[in-house]
Every structure is written in structure tokens, then in C-alpha cells.
Amino acid sequence: MDATEGAVTPAMRHKARHFALQAIYQWQLTQLSPTEIERQFLEDQPVRGADLDYFHDLVSGVVNNVSEIDETYAPHLSRPLEDLDQIDKAVLRLGTFELLYRQEVPYRVVINESIILAKEFAEQDSHKFVNGVLDKVIKAIK
């Protein structure tokens, strides 16, 4: 949690996902360790108000489980994994991680948050692609 004590709010979780997506994208491009990327984010980004524990869980969870995550969503892609835009890949990795490893979070929340992040960071229609892939992931893991 951040400096303000109390319950974790949806807004704090959203900020954690927002920063985690950026950190995962950075990791994909640089292959720096998750620890180094987290350190940079905590120093350089306005992370105030984010659930920092969740941010840590998301970044380290995606990096440490990337093979299983990619194997989970890749069969539902309309193109080869290597051809995915890096932002789309980061959004799909983040969403798939939550679907697999954070099952206390309702899948509708995960998909909705992934769509919001895709609209915020990715190409114009990426949110539709992300929605379709994660919807198929949900059906496959249920």
C-alpha cells in the first residue's frame, strides 16, 4: 500500500496496473531485472496513490511467469506472438497474469482494466483485440 493507510481502493489498484503496464513494457524492451525497473519507477514516476504492493506483485509476477503466461494467451492470437505490438503484448501479459494468479480479482474487472489500459496506451482498436483474446483465455482456464 502507499503512504496513506487504510483499505486498498479500486483507484489504487488501477494506478498499480497503469504503472505495472509501463514497467512490463520497459522490461520487454530492455530486459533489465524487475527489481531495477521497480527501483527506477519508484524514483522517477509519480506513484503516489498507487497500491505499490500490487504493483510489485504484477511486475515480478509477469516477469517470473512469462513463459506460462505467453503459452496461455498465444493460442488465442490471430497472428504470431512475435508479431504482436509491444504494448498489446504487455497488456495481454498483465491481464493473463491476473486471470491465472490473482483469481480473487473478478475476471470482469481484469478484462475491463485491460481494455482501459489498451485504450490509454495502445493503438486505436487494440482494446477490441485485447478484449477478444482475454475473453478466450477466460473460457479456456475455467
Side-chain angles (χ1 to χ4, degrees):
M1 217 172 339
D2 78 344
T4 60
E5 286 305 309
V8 174
T9 66
M12 292 167 72
R13 282 279 172 95
H14 175 73
K15 282 187 174 187
R17 287 182 186 97
H18 174 99
F19 291 120
L21 176 67
Q22 292 175 300
I24 292 162
Y25 176 78
Q26 184 178 343
W27 170 76
Q28 289 173 175
L29 297 181
T30 65
Q31 294 297 304
L32 289 172
S33 74
T35 306
E36 177 61 22
I37 290 171
E38 276 188 59
R39 185 190 62 72
Q40 288 178 12
F41 261 79
L42 296 176
E43 289 176 5
D44 302 339
Q45 295 290 327
V47 294
R48 183 180 171 90
D51 179 349
L52 296 180
D53 290 337
Y54 204 63
F55 167 77
H56 169 78
D57 288 349
L58 293 173
V59 174
S60 61
V62 167
V63 172
N64 293 328
N65 298 289
V66 72
S67 295
E68 183 182 358
I69 291 166
D70 287 354
E71 287 170 14
T72 301
Y73 75 82
H76 309 292
L77 298 176
S78 56
R79 55 189 176 267
L81 181 63
E82 307 77 49
D83 293 348
L84 272 188
D85 175 82
Q86 290 294 323
I87 291 288
D88 290 349
K89 189 183 293 185
V91 173
L92 288 171
R93 284 174 166 169
L94 181 60
T96 303
F97 170 78
E98 283 193 281
L99 293 173
L100 289 172
Y101 296 100
R102 298 305 298 251
Q103 293 181 350
E104 76 280 6
V105 179
Y107 75 89
R108 285 185 177 91
V109 171
V110 173
I111 290 177
N112 190 48
E113 286 285 318
S114 298
I115 290 168
I116 291 168
L117 291 171
K119 284 180 177 179
E120 195 172 344
F121 290 103
E123 297 294 321
Q124 186 173 356
D125 285 336
S126 285
H127 67 281
K128 295 174 187 173
F129 171 71
V130 165
N131 182 28
V133 173
L134 291 179
D135 195 50
K136 291 174 184 164
V137 167
I138 279 292
K139 290 178 175 114
I141 64 177
K142 276 195 164 190

